[in-house]
Amino acid sequence: REYFLFLYTRFGRATFLALVSNLAMICGKVGFLTAGLTICNAVLNVYLLGHNRAAAVKEANIVTNAMAEVKSEMTGQFGGILSFV
């Protein structure tokens, strides 16, 4: 879970699904069908997660806290190398 935190936000998930749909388009006719369904899934994800604001805010807080934790671990592990972050 800690490596794919972007999938827990509505725009992160939608962007990932859009990327997957673009990759699927190179597979010919079946790829275009798959890409169309994946784009519909991305739009549906943004719509549904946008209507449930409480869950979206909760997930955004979880992602923010986890990213701060990862940053502190990386800064502690590598010392001054990541001072620009």
Side-chain angles (χ1 to χ4, degrees), residues 58-82:
K58 179 182 171 187
E59 292 296 334
N61 288 335
I62 291 171
V63 169
T64 302
N65 292 337
M67 291 303 291
E69 182 181 327
V70 168
K71 180 181 176 184
S72 68
E73 288 177 7
M74 294 296 286
T75 304
Q77 190 174 19
F78 294 109
I81 295 174
L82 296 176

Side-chain angles (χ1 to χ4, degrees), residues 4-6 23 28 44 49 58 60 66 70 81:
F4 298 102
L5 292 173
F6 63 93
L23 293 174
L44 185 64
L49 291 176
K58 179 182 171 187
V70 168
I81 295 174

Side-chain angles (χ1 to χ4, degrees), residues 7 12-22 35 38-39 41-43 45:
L7 290 175
R13 186 178 301 166
T15 303
F16 177 73
L17 289 172
L19 172 68
V20 169
S21 68
N22 283 333
T38 306
I39 289 172
N41 188 3
V43 170
N45 271 298

